[in-house]
Amino acid sequence: MTTTPFASTHPAKAAALGADLPEPPPPADQRRAALASAHAHVTRLRDRLRAAVRGRDEVIELVLIALLADGHVLLEDYPGSGKTTLARALGMAIDDSQTVHGLAPFRRIQFTPDLLPSDITGTNVFDVERSTFEFRPGPIFAHVVLADEINRTSPKVQAAMLEAMAEKQVTIDNTSHPLDALFFVIATQNPLDIAGTYPLPAPQLDRFLFKVEMVHIAREAELEVLAQYPKPSLELAAALPGVSRAELLGARQAVRAGVYLAPVFHEALVDLARALRSDPRVLQGASTRALVLTLPALQARALLRGRDYVAPEDLEALAPHVFRHRLEVGAGTRDVVEVVRECLAPQLERLAQQSLRA
Amino acid sequence: MSRASRDPGRSEAGEPLITTLARLGVYALTGALLAYPLGRPGATVAAAAGAVVGAALGRWLARTRLRSWAVGPLLVVGLAIAAGLRHLAVGSPSLSAALGPASALRVGDALAFGTGAFASGLALRTLSTRQRAWALVEVLLLSFGVVQLTAAHRGGAINRPFTVADPILAAGGDPTWAFLTLGGLGALVVVLLLLSERSFFRALWHVAFAVGVIALLVFGARDFGMPQPPEGSPGLGLRGDAQASDRGDASGDQQRGGAARPPDGRADGKGTPPPTPPRSDDLEFRDDYSSSHDQVPVAVVLFHDDYDPPSGMYYFREGAFSQYNGRRLVAATTSTSGARYDDDIAQTFPAQATDVPDSPGGSTHRRFVDTTVALLADHIRPFGLAAPVELGPADNPDPRRFLRMYRVRSAVLADDYHDMLGAQVGDPSWPREVWDHYTEGPKDPRYHALAVKMVSTLPDDLRDDDVAHAFAIVMWLGEHATYSLKSNHADAADPTADFLFGDLTGYCVHFAHAAVYLMRSLGIPSRVATGYAVDPSARQGGSALLLSGANGHAWPEIYVEGWGWTVLDVAPQHTVDAPPPAPDRDLQRLLGELARGKSTVPPDVTADVQSAMASVRLWARRVGFAVLFAILAVLIAAFVVKVWRRVAPAVVPEHRLPRVLYRAELDRLAEVGLTRRRGESRESFAARLEAAHPAFVGLTQAHVGAAFGAAHTDLSAMRSDAARFRADLRGRVPLWRRALGWLDPSAWLRAR
């Protein structure tokens, strides 16, 4: 990546790109500039997160991809592995000084069995002075929400939370209160300690773009974390520049409009999903929604890697994270990722052969 | 790094395509082999086709929800339909009127065999797809097919089955080797079928092992000979391991390549003194003689003169038993005073022409008949048509088939037995000792009493004639005794007495002993001779006579002055066993021709076979050249493509460069054995090679970008990446490896 990304435009590609988009495309120069600035913003954000959380580059990338693709992530890992730090660093990195709402950049909700839906959405409170009910927003009204141990609360609360994730709004007493456009949820659950939990059913898992299984960080990264003592890492990260809400929303727009997605990827995705559905080991396959959500994720990854086109490696890297939690496999199949990789191989082969065709 | 476990070369059931095809081939072979001896050629083809279709459908049927037990009734129904179809086709008047009866029969046969094979193949394949244990039945069926095809070859019938053996014999080959090869191939197929390993290397090991076993079999057969026919005629002591005893003489005639066996490298070798041969030439009484009734050929006798014996049988004398040991007659030993008995029995095979001592020679009563004997099984002594006077070696045209060949000149009876009447028995010149030897019998007085009783029925003018006495004895025995291969005398103190004064039921050894004891009680010199007795009709008009173990026989002989030892056999009128069947006429003729060293088929057939072979050779050469040219053309085409792909980056327009340049470097990698795995993305492949070929990563990225819509591709960067990559490759891969790659015409096919 020695060359500057998005340096110039191939005219033929630009024409093909324009035909693909639903709305009239912005001029090529403008789009290129938008992509370049989006890349710059996202790279800045990534560097800040990397400073805050050491040894988690892959997770940070996936979280950023989900943020750019307007999805949410489910982190599955052990306590103390840095997920709160990651979410807090992300929230703090988003500078929201321009908005009128003055929303909190970051909120953390610890899910417990006795939590009520109104505890997270907020509720109407009677204002004695004005004799009216006034809506007092709950912790969900924030840019980045950390839903900690989401499987510990009752299905009722889970449903309210997941509705908010899907609709980007909460409804209290027949009044809908829209959430911020940037609204981004990082949910966590502990993979081992599952006694007394309410595991999320498959349709609710479907609302998460990725499920990321975190593994313990490498020895060097762990040494680095200890080397920062006594300075908190978040303080170190705060010294780095952040991004504004508007810049992030612009980056989302630029990714969707500006990163070229070859039609062959549509075929590869659909055929992959069909192969997964017909695999004898899979009881329930992935939904069409999952495929729709995957498209911007592919584009977002391309942008993060400094490309203006989606490459087969994006599909190869993201497919396990997209499909891992959406498949229900029969007894005797332990590794879902293995199933996904097996079904993905023919599609990768097809994409690889496509590139050599004239 | 994704690993492709679903190979496109495998069919749905996870079985390699080649295995599936091989299995279908095996089914076709099994169907054809099983139907071949039962039906017409059309039926064979129909059975093969039916089995293939059934096997193909069986795979499908196995995946349906059909219960496994339902396959049995399904098979029964299928076979019933097959039988019904045949009945319908053959029995229907309209069909036979339309096609003609012969065609209707053929159609019915083909329908029946095709449907039956279809049903059986369907059932078997269904079951064996579900459970691998059923593969055993597949293997058994195939083995049975091969075995029943070649079973006719057993028992020395080298001309069977005709369709396979005839062309080979015509071409001058040995069908046994063809069958050995056939069996070896069959075993190989069976082994393959049984194993059909998923693991290629394990299967390879097993196949190598099976090939080794088969090779051992073939080379063992070549070096140690084919399995010998089983011992015929138990108790007569005609056959045995003669090689050891004759080693000394045999080595003498090897340089002549005549009667002796070819050197076979036995452990004892030549030059060492031969060990004492196992004496298997004792005449034992047995209760069950029926096991001798096998049809395994033991020898072929070629008649050089026509001869119709007055006794009604050809007697080939091999041994004689004249010494009474208190229980039975045994082979005579030289007496204490040096007198020799039974000198006319040759004890060794001739190394050169030798006169048989003490033989009758030519007289008014005898004339000479020349025969040649070709032994298919080992014998203790040479035998010849009674009475042999001269033995000599003969050229063996096929030492692998005939263990030994020798010439016999026999002085056969020319006159009728009636002319013997009035002659003196014994030889007046014999010393007392010899007389005693040939007239010694049991002390039991019943023999003499019975003999006198027999003789008393003779007419007056023959009452004092010894020869007539002997005739009376054998005629009485023939009239009153019953021939049976099963008897119950062997345990008696004197089995002959038990037979003669008991139920009068026995076989040739009993008859011969009884006759000799009775004759000796009257003072007639006599002995028991053993060998082969064959009805002249067995010649069936030819000059070759095939002897089998079932022809083994023992008979009484008397010594008549001027006639010598003369066969005087009992012809039992009551017999509970059928006489041995006549030998296979074709086999007799074939072996006769082989023994003569002549072509075994008529000249026109030989010419046909030879011209067929010539045209086969011609076609083989043409096909060989065509294949050679095709291979050459493919090679040249491959090199042209290879060179074009290498030089293309220099000549193509710029917009095609990202593809063509990447392809050229991909070819270079393939030449040194680095190829992308199936299901691996280009980026993963590049990442895998990154440590050794870092420049390839950038090249790959540029190529993928150009293919998937990058706005801009930096062609100069790509060129420099390619140059760096080539430099890396030269630095890292030794020259010889790259040179091998240049020579490889197929590398570009592996560049993926």
Side-chain angles (χ1 to χ4, degrees), chain B residues 109-192:
Chain B
D109 245 17
L111 274 179
F113 276 97
T115 318
F118 169 76
S120 313
L122 183 71
L124 191 56
R125 192 71 196 102
T126 306
L127 292 176
S128 68
T129 305
R130 289 202 175 154
Q131 267 191 318
R132 285 194 72 183
W134 283 90
L136 210 63
V137 179
E138 295 176 336
V139 166
L140 286 180
L141 270 181
L142 176 64
S143 313
F144 179 70
V146 173
V147 165
Q148 61 127 34
L149 177 71
T150 53
H153 196 69
R154 277 176 315 155
I158 59 163
N159 57 334
R160 306 246 173 141
F162 302 122
T163 39
V164 183
D166 280 356
I168 296 169
L169 283 166
D174 187 344
T176 306
W177 290 95
F179 286 116
L180 207 62
T181 314
L182 197 71
L185 287 179
L188 195 65
V189 171
V190 162
V191 166
L192 282 178

Side-chain angles (χ1 to χ4, degrees), chain A residues 74 155 158 162 165 189 198-211 282-290 293 322-329:
Chain A
L74 177 61
Q158 286 174 358
L162 294 161
M165 285 163 59
Q189 60 183 17
Y198 303 89
L200 293 174
Q204 299 199 352
L205 281 174
D206 199 21
R207 298 181 199 280
F208 289 101
L209 176 56
F210 297 138
K211 177 167 125 175
V282 175
L283 300 181
Q284 191 177 347
S287 63
T288 310
R289 168 170 48 193
L293 288 178
V322 169
F323 291 105
R324 168 186 282 161
H325 56 293
R326 291 184 159 94
L327 300 181
E328 236 180 286
V329 292

Side-chain angles (χ1 to χ4, degrees), chain B residues 301-309 314 367-372 385 407-412 539 542-544 596:
Chain B
V301 180
L302 302 174
F303 282 78
H304 302 300
D305 303 291
D306 201 18
Y307 170 56
D308 215 12
Y314 291 128
R367 66 183 179 89
F368 293 120
V369 168
D370 284 319
T371 52
T372 303
L385 196 61
R407 201 161 43 72
V408 186
R409 166 164 287 195
S410 306
V412 298
R539 265 167 63 190
S543 62
R596 284 194 192 92

Side-chain angles (χ1 to χ4, degrees), chain B residues 292-337:
Chain B
S292 71
H293 251 238
D294 58 65
Q295 281 294 301
V296 180
V298 293
V300 190
V301 180
L302 302 174
F303 282 78
H304 302 300
D305 303 291
D306 201 18
Y307 170 56
D308 215 12
S311 55
M313 297 280 270
Y314 291 128
Y315 287 94
F316 295 93
R317 187 196 290 145
E318 183 180 337
F321 301 86
S322 59
Q323 183 160 337
Y324 182 65
N325 72 347
R327 185 170 186 269
R328 58 187 167 90
L329 294 173
V330 295
T333 52
T334 308
S335 77
T336 44
S337 63

